[in-house]
Amino acid sequence: MSLIPNFLNRRSNVFDPFSALDVWDPFEGFPPLSSHSNFPSETSSFAAAKVDWKETQNAHVFKADVPGLKKEEVKVEIEDGRVLQISGERSQEQEEKSDTWHRVERSSGRFSRRFRLPENAKVEEVKAAMENGVLTVTVPKEEVKRPDVRPIQISG
């Protein structure tokens, strides 16, 4: 009889200092989160390309991580007058029958990110550049016209 109870059919022995290494895994037996194939599916991490959006005094600046892509493989579009869409595709590497894959971590597939631009965006002057796997999209801002406010004197 053990001095420490055996929870969930797991080994526990008060005299074995390594029995604590046999930790209960609450996800044991669950299906894996990724596909069983050697290559990730199109809903891979690349499908959710990371994008930063900052607003400066003069522009909205978007920076997207697109490592390994050429500028010809990335599209930047304005849809419906105010929606910025950044999309592209990384092709899957061809699998050779004679190759032995030990690990496949790089993602492939399509990605698309959409951002509704604010009213002050000059959508006809959008510029895009790509350097070292980072796409930078600059959307200039219109000067915000301050409303003409005229005080009205209250009589009475």
Side-chain angles (χ1 to χ4, degrees), residues 1 41 98 119:
M1 176 183 237
S41 68
S98 61
E119 293 289 323

Side-chain angles (χ1 to χ4, degrees), residues 73-116:
E73 298 171 315
V74 177
K75 287 195 321 188
V76 178
E77 302 169 309
I78 299 291
E79 293 181 348
D80 300 326
R82 289 253 177 260
V83 178
L84 172 68
Q85 177 169 305
I86 301 170
S87 61
E89 183 173 3
R90 176 179 292 137
S91 301
Q92 188 173 354
E93 240 181 82
Q94 295 299 318
E95 184 176 350
E96 297 291 326
K97 296 291 181 199
S98 61
D99 292 345
T100 302
W101 290 88
H102 294 281
R103 183 175 297 262
V104 176
E105 293 181 345
R106 296 182 308 135
S107 302
S108 63
R110 295 184 184 143
F111 73 93
S112 179
R113 298 293 307 271
R114 297 168 52 108
F115 303 92
R116 179 160 305 282

Side-chain angles (χ1 to χ4, degrees), residues 58-60 78 81-82 117-127 137-144:
N58 303 319
H60 295 275
I78 299 291
R82 289 253 177 260
L117 297 172
E119 293 289 323
N120 66 349
K122 291 183 180 178
V123 293
E124 47 300 315
E125 297 179 24
V126 175
K127 291 187 176 23
V137 180
T138 305
V139 183
K141 291 174 20 179
E142 294 176 355
E143 276 190 43
V144 178

